């Protein structure tokens, strides 16, 4: 077994066979108490991980939890940029992730050296970056946002402020439409949200005329135009709780359906069909994490997020700015 960790490029995972007779939920709970560890999980995690987590949330909620936790160890069941954000907010704490290969296609679509050159073309612009990016991009940004606060964060700037928005072009376009502002967009996308099929969704709507289409703003423009409601994962969950439709077609990663179904057992939730051949909307990065890997990572305290100190310090400012603005707006 070899674990190689080099700053944000934390590599490897503990490929240790786990005794199949172990009660993993009990063991994870025991490890949490013994080590004063907190388990944070994104809504896109498998349901068994969500069920054992101390906190389940969207990217904003998870960053806020990471900022306020008193635990000594943060176990982050999500993808790399999320665990990295937790480390940036808690440089003294140990931050672990179950599988260090859990990356993000959207974050990968915006390499810092290219973005630096791009930014140089717009020297007067304020850089607002979606949290789904590497620490290197955060270090080059003025403010971070998530899908649940992007519109509000942009609106806090004076109307004539020139803005670069990176890396998600779909969220950027959606924010432009909501705020009526023009922004320079980086051309990045999420591999899960860009593949929903307009044609298949239309057919599904014919079969379920009482269904509402709800979509994450990372979806392509054509899907957002069809949607009855657009929101972050927390926003979509809240909408299905409060709305009275009996059926929803859900255009985002399927992990969120677990909480939707739990909150509204009498309603039907149908994953929006994608255009790909395997016909699923699972994020292959999020789904690298398993309950076994949560257990081994807590037991052996590996893989750990380690970061370059300078990047960490530079990346903290725009994240803190987002947290401060969000707190002042009651988000
Ligand atoms: P939110 O958590 O902001 O809804 O974003 C979804 C996502 O793509 C996370 O990777
Ligand atoms: Fe990245 Fe998309 Fe997966 Fe979220 S769902 S982690 S944006 S690839």
């Amino acid at each position: 077994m070899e674990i190689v960790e080099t700053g944000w490029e934390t590599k490897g995972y503990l490929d240790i066979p786990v005794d199949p007779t172990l009660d993993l939920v009990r063991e994870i709970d025991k490890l949490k108490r013994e080590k004063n560890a907190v388990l944070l999980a994104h809504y896109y995690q498998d349901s068994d991980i969500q069920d054992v987590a101390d906190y389940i949330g969207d990217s904003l909620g998870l960053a806020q939890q990471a900022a306020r936790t008193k635990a000594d160890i943060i176990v982050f069941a999500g993808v790399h940029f999320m665990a990295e954000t937790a480390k940036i907010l808690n440089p003294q704490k140990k931050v672990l992730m179950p599988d260090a290969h859990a990356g993000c296609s959207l974050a990968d679509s915006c390499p810092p050296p290219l973005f630096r050159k791009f930014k140089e073309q717009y020297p007067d612009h304020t850089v607002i970056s979606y949290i789904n990016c590497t620490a290197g991009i955060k270090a080059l940004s003025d403010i971070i946002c998530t899908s649940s606060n992007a519109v509000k964060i942009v609106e806090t700037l004076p109307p004539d402020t020139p803005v670069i928005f990176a890396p998600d072009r779909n969220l950027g376009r959606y924010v432009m439409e909501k705020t009526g502002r023009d922004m320079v967009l980086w051309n990045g996308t999420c591999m899960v949200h860009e593949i929903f099929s307009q044609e298949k969704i239309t057919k599904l709507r014919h079969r379920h005329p009482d269904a509402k289409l709800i979509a994450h703003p990372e979806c392509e423009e054509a899907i957002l135009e069809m949607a009855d409601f657009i929101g972050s994962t927390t926003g979509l969950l809240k909408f299905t709780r409060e709305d009275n439709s009996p059926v929803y077609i859900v255009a985002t990663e399927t992990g969120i359906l677990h909480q939707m179904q739990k909150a509204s057992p009498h309603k039907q939730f149908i994953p929006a069909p994608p255009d790909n051949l395997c016909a699923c909307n699972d994020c292959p990065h999020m789904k690298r994490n398993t309950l076994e890997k949560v257990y081994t990572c807590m037991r052996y305290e590996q893989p750990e997020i380690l970061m370059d100190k300078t990047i960490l310090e530079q990346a903290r400012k725009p994240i803190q700015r987002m947290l401060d603005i969000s707190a002042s707006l009651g988000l």
Side-chain angles (χ1 to χ4, degrees):
M1 174 190 63
E2 189 188 349
I3 302 161
V4 187
E5 283 147 333
T6 51
W8 81 267
E9 286 187 343
T10 306
K11 297 256 194 301
Y13 60 95
L14 289 165
D15 197 8
I16 297 173
V18 176
D19 175 355
T21 63
L22 265 190
D23 180 342
L24 290 176
V25 173
R26 222 181 68 189
E27 293 300 320
I28 289 169
D29 276 335
K30 208 163 98 190
L31 287 166
K32 278 193 221 167
R33 284 192 301 276
E34 280 169 17
K35 297 180 185 240
N36 188 26
V38 67
L39 176 58
L40 308 181
H42 191 270
Y43 284 126
Y44 294 168
Q45 291 298 286
D46 279 337
S47 48
D48 55 358
I49 298 181
Q50 293 189 35
D51 289 345
V52 75
D54 298 296
Y55 177 83
I56 319 156
D58 69 356
S59 304
L60 178 62
L62 288 163
Q64 288 168 327
Q65 284 295 319
R68 67 171 74 112
T69 184
K70 298 267 185 292
D72 295 319
I73 296 180
I74 299 172
V75 183
F76 214 114
V79 289
H80 198 280
F81 72 81
M82 297 177 174
E84 194 174 58
T85 302
K87 180 68 182 175
I88 293 166
L89 292 167
N90 297 279
Q92 315 305 339
K93 292 186 200 257
K94 192 173 259 189
V95 178
L96 307 170
M97 61 185 298
D99 187 324
H101 291 302
C104 169
S105 70
L106 180 53
D108 291 346
S109 73
C110 193
L114 292 187
F115 186 68
R116 186 189 292 277
K117 284 214 172 77
F118 179 76
K119 188 182 152 175
E120 277 165 15
Q121 296 171 55
Y122 307 97
D124 305 330
H125 284 51
T126 296
V127 178
I128 302 185
S129 293
Y130 188 31
I131 198 164
N132 302 31
C133 64
T134 62
I137 296 297
K138 290 185 175 81
L140 292 168
S141 306
D142 297 297
I143 319 177
I144 298 305
C145 70
T146 74
S147 60
S148 55
N149 63 16
V151 169
K152 297 230 162 81
I153 296 255
V154 170
E155 281 172 344
T156 60
L157 300 176
D160 53 351
T161 312
V163 172
I164 295 176
F165 189 92
D168 191 82
R169 68 160 188 240
N170 290 324
L171 176 63
R173 199 188 301 108
Y174 170 73
V175 171
M176 276 168 53
E177 201 193 301
K178 294 298 270 184
T179 59
R181 299 188 189 201
D182 202 17
M183 302 192 296
V184 176
L185 304 181
W186 179 266
N187 192 16
T189 53
C190 156
M191 63 187 290
V192 177
H193 290 91
E194 69 176 348
I195 54 165
F196 291 113
S197 162
Q198 213 180 334
E199 197 187 322
K200 288 184 195 165
I201 292 176
T202 305
K203 281 189 189 149
L204 198 55
R205 275 180 139 177
H206 284 308
R207 265 186 274 137
H208 298 276
D210 50 356
K212 282 191 179 153
L213 172 66
I214 57 173
H216 194 280
E218 285 176 24
C219 293
E220 296 282 328
E221 192 174 16
I223 303 299
L224 296 183
E225 274 171 7
M226 299 167 76
D228 297 296
F229 180 77
I230 299 167
S232 75
T233 32
T234 299
L236 297 177
L237 177 60
K238 186 164 178 280
F239 180 75
T240 61
R241 265 201 220 112
E242 292 168 2
D243 183 67
N244 56 13
S245 172
V247 190
Y248 298 89
I249 300 169
V250 184
T252 191
E253 216 269 359
T254 46
I256 187 65
L257 266 64
H258 180 54
Q259 296 301 327
M260 287 178 173
Q261 201 67 74
K262 259 174 119 170
S264 311
H266 52 290
K267 296 183 182 180
Q268 188 186 359
F269 299 96
I270 307 169
D275 244 340
N276 61 5
L277 293 176
C278 82
C280 87
N281 326 331
D282 284 354
C283 170
H285 307 290
M286 287 278 185
K287 286 338 196 223
R288 289 189 74 98
N289 297 326
T290 61
L291 204 59
E292 282 83 0
K293 288 182 195 170
V294 172
Y295 165 71
T296 51
C297 115
M298 291 183 76
R299 178 157 176 204
Y300 300 101
E301 301 187 16
Q302 296 278 359
E304 181 183 357
I305 299 281
L306 301 172
M307 291 184 66
D308 174 86
K309 209 165 165 266
T310 313
I311 301 240
L312 186 147
E313 294 296 332
Q314 287 169 355
R316 187 181 312 119
K317 285 182 209 142
I319 299 174
Q320 194 55 54
R321 211 166 151 194
M322 169 187 82
L323 293 176
D324 293 344
I325 295 172
S326 300
S328 71
L329 296 173
L331 299 172

